[in-house]
Amino acid sequence: MVFSLTFFAFGKTYAQNEKKAREILDKTSVVVGAPSGVHANFKVSSTAGISTSGNISIKKNKFCASTTQATIWYDGTTQWTYLKNNNEVNITKPNAAKQASMNPYAFINLYKKGYKLDYTATKTDYKVHLKATDATHTLKELYITINKHSYVPSVVKFLQNNAWTTISISNFQARNIADKAFTFNSKDFPTAEVIDLR
């Protein structure tokens, strides 16, 4: 009987935590998904040895990220990746995992389906934990640190292919960004080799 009551209480607490975690991400999604667009700086590090930094502009499901090695444009369907050292552009149609590795805000759509949610809180931040319930998800686990007052995320950490990637985000600000900013313009790179991998 005591076990049954304890299990029931734990189940109720977890359900409340999951509901609250979803509410936190819903509010964060509104902030990050501002209809006019947002801009931020980021640093990426991975247990697989990857390290880079740059800036990103986002508008709904579109983004443009720039680092010292590459510039990536994604218009919601097609992605163009310009590799500076090779002077070439690769055109792809990335899946959710590929988008997440380039876009620290890809989680704003991921959490809505196929993940179990939980969270903890400090005086200043929420830390939301997402764990995949669908074996087909390539992003198995995520931790997102979100400011309690602004609902701006400062850190996104995710597990993919047995390696943890951490994206630290700074200088987040709302901006009015034109849609053309998320599409590759060949006139700006007249000598680049274009490789269509779709």
Side-chain angles (χ1 to χ4, degrees), residues 2-91:
V2 173
F3 174 78
S4 297
L5 288 171
T6 304
F7 185 78
F8 175 76
F10 175 78
K12 189 175 180 182
T13 301
Y14 180 78
Q16 290 171 340
N17 274 12
E18 184 160 31
K19 183 181 178 186
K20 177 64 174 177
R22 194 169 296 280
E23 288 173 2
I24 293 165
L25 290 179
D26 284 343
K27 290 179 180 178
T28 304
S29 177
V30 171
V31 172
V32 174
S36 60
V38 297
H39 184 82
N41 296 334
F42 66 86
K43 290 182 180 178
V44 181
S45 61
S46 167
T47 54
I50 298 168
S51 179
T52 191
S53 62
N55 59 73
I56 187 165
S57 296
I58 299 165
K59 187 176 182 181
K60 298 180 181 176
N61 65 334
K62 306 176 179 75
F63 75 90
C64 176
S66 181
T67 70
T68 54
Q69 297 90 10
T71 302
I72 301 161
W73 300 264
Y74 179 68
D75 68 357
T77 305
T78 303
Q79 180 172 295
W80 297 263
T81 304
Y82 174 65
L83 303 171
K84 296 178 182 178
N85 286 345
N86 301 345
N87 194 31
E88 69 179 37
V89 179
N90 293 323
I91 306 174

Side-chain angles (χ1 to χ4, degrees), residues 51-149:
S51 179
T52 191
S53 62
N55 59 73
I56 187 165
S57 296
I58 299 165
K59 187 176 182 181
K60 298 180 181 176
N61 65 334
K62 306 176 179 75
F63 75 90
C64 176
S66 181
T67 70
T68 54
Q69 297 90 10
T71 302
I72 301 161
W73 300 264
Y74 179 68
D75 68 357
T77 305
T78 303
Q79 180 172 295
W80 297 263
T81 304
Y82 174 65
L83 303 171
K84 296 178 182 178
N85 286 345
N86 301 345
N87 194 31
E88 69 179 37
V89 179
N90 293 323
I91 306 174
T92 57
K93 286 196 172 182
N95 59 23
K98 287 284 187 185
Q99 287 181 50
S101 67
M102 323 274 183
N103 178 1
Y105 298 122
F107 73 85
I108 65 172
N109 294 314
L110 281 178
Y111 77 94
K112 294 174 183 175
K113 188 176 180 183
Y115 285 91
K116 188 166 60 174
L117 308 178
D118 198 2
Y119 84 100
T120 56
T122 66
K123 285 183 179 180
T124 57
D125 297 310
Y126 295 114
K127 191 170 186 178
V128 181
H129 180 211
L130 295 81
K131 194 160 189 180
T133 55
D134 186 338
T136 62
H137 280 318
T138 52
L139 293 181
K140 302 299 182 189
E141 204 168 352
L142 299 94
Y143 290 91
I144 304 161
T145 303
I146 298 162
N147 182 279
K148 273 185 170 181
H149 304 292

Side-chain angles (χ1 to χ4, degrees), residues 153-173:
S154 58
V155 180
V156 179
K157 181 179 178 181
F158 60 87
L159 178 64
Q160 180 184 6
N161 299 327
N162 298 316
W164 283 98
T165 297
T166 302
I167 305 173
S168 301
I169 303 148
S170 60
N171 300 322
F172 180 95
Q173 52 189 272

